[in-house]
Amino acid sequence: MAIGYEGQAQVNRFVPAQTPTRPELNPVRPNGNGTNKKGAMGKKLEAARNRYISRQLDLTDEEANKFWPLYSQYQQELTAVRILKRLNNSNSSTNGTEQIDKEIYYESQLVGIRKRYRDSFSKILPPEKVSILYKSEQEFNDELIKQLSERSERAGN
């Protein structure tokens, strides 16, 4: 299954343009001339993920109006921590224990964000849809990794 490309005509009209509500958590990086641009691939993946989740959740109009701004904020917070985690892992620290401690700290931050937003999502969605949301995110990520792995194998890497 090609994520986000099958059934594009069924795209939920409630998938928002992703506008950052907290600039300090915006994962978009400056492009050198003072403006921010998210890479084309990042935008495509984000749009595909949102389409997939939209189809899985089958939101009512009222749910969608409350859900998408909250989900956008949730993704921005997760992305901000993931960037810090990636930076920590890319630095070769002479103190391995410190690097491991930071890794564990970032993992706990990600779990904390998921828990906090689970409670927020539960205020606007029934528990079944909150469960579907978290499962759908994992399914999307699993499928993405599978497709990237298959492409890498076909390319001979």
Side-chain angles (χ1 to χ4, degrees):
M1 160 171 57
I3 297 174
Y5 294 103
E6 74 285 353
Q8 280 191 1
Q10 300 174 7
V11 173
N12 187 326
R13 68 181 185 272
F14 297 108
V15 177
Q18 298 295 316
T19 54
T21 54
R22 294 179 60 188
E24 71 277 12
L25 297 176
N26 187 0
V28 181
R29 295 190 180 113
N31 67 0
N33 65 5
T35 62
N36 287 334
K37 279 194 173 180
K38 191 174 212 175
M41 184 59 71
K43 285 182 180 180
K44 285 181 182 180
L45 284 174
E46 183 177 317
R49 181 192 64 226
N50 288 353
R51 283 191 303 272
Y52 182 78
I53 288 171
S54 182
R55 282 193 308 269
Q56 300 302 312
L57 291 180
D58 192 27
L59 300 171
T60 66
D61 292 356
E62 184 179 345
E63 288 172 338
N65 288 332
K66 294 176 182 175
F67 171 76
W68 287 111
L70 183 63
Y71 187 75
S72 176
Q73 186 177 7
Y74 163 72
Q75 283 299 318
Q76 289 171 13
E77 288 189 35
L78 288 175
T79 300
V81 174
R82 287 180 183 134
I83 289 170
L84 293 173
K85 183 179 171 189
R86 195 173 310 124
L87 289 171
N88 178 58
N89 289 338
S90 67
N91 295 336
S92 56
S93 174
T94 55
N95 184 349
T97 303
E98 182 180 323
Q99 192 167 9
I100 293 169
D101 288 345
K102 284 183 181 179
E103 172 78 11
I104 293 169
Y105 171 76
Y106 293 135
E107 285 294 326
S108 70
Q109 291 294 304
L110 292 170
V111 170
I113 292 167
R114 288 186 188 105
K115 284 182 177 180
R116 187 166 25 94
Y117 277 90
R118 176 204 56 210
D119 295 340
S120 297
F121 291 137
S122 295
K123 292 176 183 174
I124 58 175
L125 299 175
E128 298 80 19
K129 286 190 178 182
V130 176
S131 177
I132 291 169
L133 168 64
Y134 283 91
K135 288 176 185 174
S136 297
E137 286 183 315
Q138 189 60 54
E139 289 169 0
F140 180 85
N141 290 336
D142 290 347
E143 181 65 23
L144 179 63
I145 291 168
K146 178 183 168 195
Q147 288 186 20
L148 290 173
S149 176
E150 289 171 357
R151 285 183 190 176
S152 179
E153 286 175 15
R154 284 194 303 266
N157 294 333

